[in-house]
């Protein structure tokens, strides 16, 4: 990424020169941090390509299971006539992050300072998108009480997986989303920490097993073969009946970004600085009204 440096007083002259290069310069930086900070959105079904440029509602058909029948000799087949329903994904969220820079020359000539501002704006927009999705997860409708508050035992996990499998939901297409306290507790679980870690370190002449290797490398993330994510947006309260985690299929949430992060700027004579605004237009909807696609873990 190229960083522009210009000399002289940044408050002098027209804003036309600033308008030419600021959006391109900031867009890459903000978008990079936006993608990096997303936790929920990348996992779920993304319909962004279907809403680019126009339309405020996307109608997603729900496919019903087609019935089977036995074929008798010399008889015709009977065709299933299912009543399909739609799930409406409304593109109704418009979020922005705005900042006034009184000395744009100082920001753009300092890579570290520029990076911090881009990171801050990208994080704010990513958090707004994930807040929407986490709120939808709280309405999944299928709940399970944990044996202990803010802690997930193997028995808890086995019960949850059994619920999904009994509803024909493949666990290979699912993920856990838990609050930081549960995630930290899982770091003491052999099933979690040792997943995917193998071999021993012989370079120092000292061998160690998979568990110790995980402790030394920090390589974690799978629980019974299912990826685990954590987010500070999920409550950590110890109150009973509060959602503290989820096990969900990727189709449980439909999300679409109609407009990727857009950067606009304008020089303000009143403030002798440049106003920079980053915004995004998107929507998300839950799809679990007619089928179990996830579980809410509740403190008991």
């Amino acid at each position: 990424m190229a960083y522009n440096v210009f000399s002289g007083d940044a408050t002098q002259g027209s804003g036309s020169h600033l308008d030419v290069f600021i959006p391109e310069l900031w867009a890459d930086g903000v978008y990079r941090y936006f993608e990096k900070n997303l936790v929920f959105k990348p996992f779920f079904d993304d319909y962004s390509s279907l809403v680019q440029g126009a339309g405020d509602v996307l109608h997603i058909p729900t496919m019903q299971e087609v019935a089977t029948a036995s074929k008798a000799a010399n008889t015709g087949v009977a065709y299933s006539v299912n009543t399909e329903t739609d799930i409406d994904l409304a593109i109704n969220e418009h979020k922005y992050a705005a900042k006034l820079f009184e000395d744009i020359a100082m920001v753009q000539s300092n890579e570290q300072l520029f990076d911090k501002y881009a990171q801050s704006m990208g994080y704010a927009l990513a958090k707004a998108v994930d807040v929407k999705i986490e709120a939808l997860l709280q309405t999944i409708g299928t709940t399970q009480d944990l044996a202990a508050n803010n802690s997930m035992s193997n028995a808890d996990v086995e019960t949850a997986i059994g619920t999904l499998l009994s509803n024909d939901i493949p666990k290979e297409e699912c993920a856990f989303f838990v609050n930081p306290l549960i995630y930290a507790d899982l770091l003491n679980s052999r099933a979690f920490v040792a997943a995917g870690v193998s071999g021993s370190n012989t370079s120092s002449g000292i061998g160690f097993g998979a568990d110790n290797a995980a402790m030394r490398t920090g390589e974690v993330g799978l629980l019974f073969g299912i990826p685990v994510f954590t987010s500070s947006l999920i409550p950590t309260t110890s109150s009973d009946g509060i959602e503290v985690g989820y096990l969900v299929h990727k189709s449980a949430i439909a999300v679409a970004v109609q407009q990727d992060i857009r950067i606009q700027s304008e020089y303000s004579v009143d403030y002798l600085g440049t106003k920079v605004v980053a915004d995004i237009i998107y929507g998300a909807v839950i799809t679990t009204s007619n089928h179990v696609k996830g579980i809410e873990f509740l403190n008991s």
Side-chain angles (χ1 to χ4, degrees):
M1 179 183 299
Y3 295 88
N4 295 275
V5 182
F6 56 92
S7 59
D9 187 350
T11 64
Q12 299 298 317
S14 67
S16 59
H17 180 60
L18 293 175
D19 292 338
V20 170
F21 65 79
I22 285 183
E24 290 77 14
L25 177 66
W26 283 81
D28 287 345
V30 174
Y31 187 77
R32 180 174 71 248
Y33 284 111
F34 171 77
E35 288 290 308
K36 180 179 179 180
N37 284 284
L38 286 170
V39 176
F40 294 98
K41 176 184 173 293
F43 175 73
F44 294 105
D45 285 350
D46 193 329
Y47 294 87
S48 299
S49 62
L50 301 180
V51 296
Q52 294 296 318
D56 57 358
V57 177
L58 177 64
H59 303 289
I60 305 172
T62 59
M63 303 302 179
Q64 304 298 319
E65 183 177 349
V66 178
T68 61
S70 299
K71 175 67 169 66
N74 302 317
T75 61
V77 299
Y79 295 93
S80 297
V81 180
N82 293 336
T83 301
E84 309 289 359
T85 59
D86 287 341
I87 296 174
D88 292 337
L89 171 53
I91 311 301
N92 57 2
E93 299 286 342
H94 190 182
K95 302 295 184 181
Y96 72 89
K99 175 72 177 176
L100 173 68
F101 297 99
E102 294 191 0
D103 188 354
I104 195 65
M106 178 182 297
V107 174
Q108 293 189 168
S109 63
N110 187 318
E111 179 176 344
Q112 185 177 3
L113 190 57
F114 165 85
D115 228 32
K116 288 186 179 296
Y117 279 122
Q119 181 177 2
S120 176
M121 298 176 84
Y123 172 78
L125 292 174
K127 183 178 180 181
V129 174
D130 274 353
V131 163
K132 170 72 174 180
I133 296 176
E134 200 278 331
L136 291 173
L137 289 175
Q138 294 182 21
T139 65
I140 286 176
T142 303
T143 62
Q144 176 184 322
D145 290 338
L146 295 175
N149 288 352
N150 291 313
S151 178
M152 188 176 292
S153 67
N154 286 351
D156 289 326
V157 175
E158 291 163 4
T159 299
I161 293 176
T163 299
L164 291 187
L165 293 178
S166 65
N167 284 277
D168 298 323
I169 299 297
K171 73 179 186 66
E172 294 79 12
E173 298 177 359
C174 296
F176 287 98
F177 293 91
V178 298
N179 70 24
L181 295 182
I182 293 179
Y183 190 86
D185 182 66
L186 288 174
L187 294 179
N188 195 39
S189 168
R190 176 179 300 180
F192 180 56
V193 175
V197 181
S198 60
S200 59
N201 185 359
T202 58
S203 60
S204 61
I206 302 176
F208 53 85
D211 294 349
N212 289 332
M215 293 298 184
R216 291 184 58 170
T217 64
E219 183 179 346
V220 296
L222 293 177
L223 185 60
F224 288 78
I226 301 174
V228 180
F229 302 93
T230 186
S231 171
S232 61
L233 299 179
I234 303 175
T236 56
T237 178
S238 59
S239 302
D240 293 345
I242 299 298
E243 295 90 348
V244 292
Y246 312 94
L247 172 59
V248 288
H249 187 260
K250 63 186 184 67
S251 66
I253 301 290
V255 62
V257 175
Q258 186 173 60
Q259 172 197 284
D260 282 329
I261 292 179
R262 174 181 60 178
I263 306 293
Q264 299 184 83
S265 65
E266 177 183 88
Y267 188 78
S268 172
V269 175
D270 295 335
Y271 293 95
L272 294 179
T274 298
K275 297 178 289 186
V276 177
V277 180
D279 69 324
I280 185 172
I281 298 174
Y282 65 96
V285 67
I286 195 162
T287 68
T288 60
S289 58
N290 297 320
H291 199 292
V292 174
K293 295 183 179 179
I295 297 168
E296 303 170 52
F297 295 112
L298 307 179
N299 280 337
S300 58

